[in-house]
């Protein structure tokens, strides 16, 4: 496959990813049996993981997408998060599960959690394929984690490098 960078090092194969998806799906099924579940998937990075997870889950669940964007300040630093596309499904009284591909600083997730809590869900939990806790600036913890990874920039399976690489079926890390 043509690569976005020469310095792409194989990190997780599609088979390893699918094993994590299955492990997570079995955990969710055990906890959400018989409940009204809504999976909220932030665009664009969560798309491959959300698609695999929803097809692996053996429980009834509604799906919706939300798109958030980091707003840079005039000096290019982090200035806040804004909603590009809001949730369209009613989540009041439902059991909401945020489906993330990776959690880094935690700002996006913290913002999204507050947005969802404002709609009065019955419960709110977070599932993420990958977690980088060493990068956290906000004290926030996912409830279900596929794999905890070190501070590495990863691409593929929804994860991008400046918009590219999301379509790769495997995950790579970028050597600097
Ligand atoms: P944060 O937790 O608010 O810092 O933002 C998390 C978002 O940053 C994720 O949903 C990704 O879109 C992006 N991100 C964080 N780390 C990586 C990475 O290693 N590769 C690709 N995207 C990343
Ligand atoms: Mg994301």
């Amino acid at each position: 496959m043509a690569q976005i960078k020469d310095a792409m090092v194989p990190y997780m194969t599609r088979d390893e990813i699918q094993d994590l998806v299955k492990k997570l799906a079995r955990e969710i099924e055990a906890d959400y049996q018989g409940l009204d579940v809504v999976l909220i998937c932030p665009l664009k990075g969560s798309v491959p993981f959300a698609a695999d997870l929803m097809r692996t889950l053996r429980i009834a669940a509604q799906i919706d997408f939300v798109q958030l964007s980091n707003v840079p300040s005039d000096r290019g630093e982090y200035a806040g998060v804004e909603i590009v596309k809001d949730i369209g499904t009613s989540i009041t009284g439902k059991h909401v599960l945020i489906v993330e591909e990776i959690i880094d600083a935690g700002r996006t997730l913290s913002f999204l959690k507050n947005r969802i809590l404002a709609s009065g869900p019955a419960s709110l939990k977070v599932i993420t394929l990958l977690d980088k806790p060493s990068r956290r600036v906000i004290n926030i913890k996912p409830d279900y984690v596929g794999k905890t990874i070190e501070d590495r920039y990863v691409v593929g399976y929804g994860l991008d490098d400046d918009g590219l690489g999301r379509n790769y079926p495997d995950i790579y890390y970028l050597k600097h």
Side-chain angles (χ1 to χ4, degrees):
M1 185 183 293
Q3 296 198 337
I4 50 171
K5 291 228 165 95
D6 291 336
M8 276 174 50
V9 182
Y11 190 58
M12 283 174 75
T13 65
R14 63 200 80 182
D15 289 345
E16 288 167 337
I17 296 168
Q18 292 314 315
D19 286 346
L20 294 180
V21 170
K22 282 189 206 123
K23 177 195 86 163
L24 290 166
R26 301 295 91 91
E27 289 178 35
I28 303 293
E29 286 161 3
D31 292 354
Y32 286 85
Q33 217 47 254
L35 301 178
D36 283 334
V37 178
V38 186
L39 305 179
I40 297 290
C41 315
L43 295 167
K44 303 166 191 168
S46 73
V47 166
F49 176 50
D52 283 341
L53 183 71
M54 69 175 79
R55 285 179 294 185
T56 308
L57 274 177
R58 296 180 292 212
I59 53 168
Q62 287 182 286
I63 321 286
D64 202 0
F65 296 90
V66 64
Q67 189 168 9
L68 305 169
S69 165
N70 282 320
V71 190
S73 70
D74 294 342
R75 286 175 292 159
E77 293 151 2
Y78 169 83
V81 179
E82 67 177 7
I83 297 177
V84 178
K85 182 221 169 288
D86 204 355
I87 300 160
T89 305
S90 170
I91 54 170
T92 307
K94 309 254 179 79
H95 294 272
V96 175
L97 191 57
I98 299 174
V99 180
E100 273 282 18
E101 77 288 6
I102 195 163
I103 303 171
D104 191 64
R107 291 181 176 120
T108 320
L109 182 61
S110 167
F111 180 94
L112 181 56
K113 278 185 96 169
N114 289 334
R115 156 66 191 90
I116 289 171
L117 287 172
S119 291
S123 71
L124 175 58
K125 285 191 179 177
V126 178
I127 176 169
T128 188
L129 180 69
L130 302 177
D131 189 19
K132 288 200 275 192
S134 62
R135 295 263 308 164
R136 217 67 106 242
V137 298
I138 290 180
N139 186 16
I140 196 164
K141 270 196 189 145
D143 300 279
Y144 304 91
V145 177
K147 190 176 180 187
T148 300
I149 67 170
E150 57 271 51
D151 181 8
R152 286 219 159 121
Y153 200 84
V154 283
V155 298
Y157 197 67
L159 297 148
D160 72 306
D161 179 35
D162 211 8
L164 295 177
R166 295 192 199 275
N167 54 314
Y168 300 162
D170 304 300
I171 296 178
Y172 304 80
Y173 73 85
L174 297 183
K175 251 203 253 169
H176 296 293

